[in-house]
Amino acid sequence: GQNIDQPTEMTATEGAIVQINCTYQTSGFNGLFWYQQHAGEAPTFLSYNVLDGLEEKGRFSSFLSRSKGYSYLLLKELQMKDSASYLCAATTMFSGGYNKLIFGAGTRLAVHP
Amino acid sequence: DGGITQSPKYLFRKEGQNVTLSCEQNLNHDAMYWYRQDPGQGLRLIYYSQIVNDFQKGDIAEGYSVSREKKESFPLTVTSAQKNPTAFYLCASSITGSRAGELFFGEGSRLTVL
């Protein structure tokens, strides 16, 4: 089957570092995406990993291990505005060769002063 | 500015009524998608379209219908056959190819059945 697992909730302190883990099982895996979603709003794209290793983009980094079916999103220097849900999504293939995203349920991060 | 526009943002429906959610994009993307989001669950794919005049069922298509007569537009109709239609509906678009998972989302439409 196809499955994405990530923790339901996390809390952290302003200025700290937090790591959100994601494990996945999909057929025809092509890459791993992370999205940020503030309450009541649409998700916005954060990162994309297709090869093993770390991708750094400012305060956010994302890591992928294809052999382990594992990814994490690392948020540094946390700010209050980082309080949001973080969605892990893995690609699989539609019939016809198109990519399809399987989403996890999201990790709700609360940043406290 | 390029983007995706969904309307209405909030919609109330009586049981037995069909409703249509609008989705328009000016990003020149070939692919468009409709997702449903329920509390505590991941986004689930309802329908998708890779090109004009073609669309395919996603994982939870029962009780929904779509059309793709223009590249810019991908409306979703929630029919009376959908048993639990109260949800947050998200329209998205993307390029096709290897980065097709980089989705651009509209602001969403929240449907409540009374």
Side-chain angles (χ1 to χ4, degrees):
Chain A
Q2 307 201 87
N3 197 44
I4 310 283
D5 284 316
Q6 53 182 130
T8 303
E9 290 186 5
M10 299 182 72
T11 58
T13 305
E14 195 175 13
I17 299 173
V18 70
Q19 178 175 311
I20 303 174
N21 296 325
C22 171
T23 58
Y24 64 89
Q25 283 181 305
T26 62
S27 56
F29 176 78
N30 268 342
L32 196 292
F33 288 80
W34 284 95
Y35 284 82
Q36 180 190 60
Q37 185 178 25
H38 285 99
E41 298 181 9
T44 55
F45 168 78
L46 283 179
S47 69
Y48 171 53
N49 292 71
V50 62
L51 300 175
D52 284 359
L54 190 68
E55 293 278 345
E56 297 189 73
K57 193 188 290 186
R59 293 189 300 114
F60 293 4
S61 303
S62 56
F63 172 84
L64 176 66
S65 169
R66 295 177 70 119
S67 61
K68 295 182 180 177
Y70 168 68
S71 173
Y72 67 73
L73 181 69
L74 192 71
L75 292 75
K76 303 176 188 175
E77 301 170 16
L78 281 171
Q79 302 175 9
M80 299 296 289
K81 68 178 181 180
D82 297 330
S83 293
S85 287
Y86 291 87
L87 312 180
C88 174
T91 60
T92 182
M93 297 295 282
F94 284 131
S95 60
Y98 296 111
N99 277 336
K100 170 183 175 178
L101 278 187
I102 306 293
F103 281 87
T107 299
R108 194 161 53 248
L109 174 67
V111 180
H112 299 290
Chain B
D1 273 61
I4 299 183
T5 302
Q6 285 186 242
S7 63
K9 194 166 184 178
Y10 298 95
L11 185 62
F12 297 90
R13 185 193 97 174
K14 293 182 181 178
E15 283 195 29
Q17 285 182 334
N18 292 356
V19 293
T20 296
L21 308 181
S22 169
C23 178
E24 303 278 331
Q25 57 102 355
N26 60 3
L27 298 167
N28 199 33
H29 286 165
D30 287 313
M32 296 187 75
Y33 312 81
W34 274 104
Y35 286 90
R36 170 180 172 142
Q37 188 173 36
D38 295 283
Q41 295 192 39
L43 275 66
R44 291 183 291 167
L45 184 64
I46 305 172
Y47 267 97
Y48 64 97
S49 169
Q50 299 290 334
I51 55 173
V52 175
N53 292 322
D54 185 57
F55 50 83
Q56 303 294 330
K57 292 182 179 180
D59 300 316
I60 55 164
E62 186 176 347
Y64 300 98
S65 66
V66 293
S67 63
R68 187 86 187 274
E69 297 175 1
K70 298 186 300 182
K71 186 175 184 177
E72 302 79 19
S73 179
F74 192 41
L76 174 75
T77 297
V78 185
T79 75
S80 56
Q82 169 50 234
K83 299 304 177 192
N84 284 306
T86 294
F88 189 46
Y89 291 88
L90 287 160
C91 179
S93 71
S94 75
I95 60 171
T96 53
S98 61
R99 285 192 70 95
E102 184 176 348
L103 302 177
F104 293 78
F105 286 90
E107 292 189 348
S109 294
R110 192 168 297 279
L111 172 63
T112 303
V113 173
L114 304 172

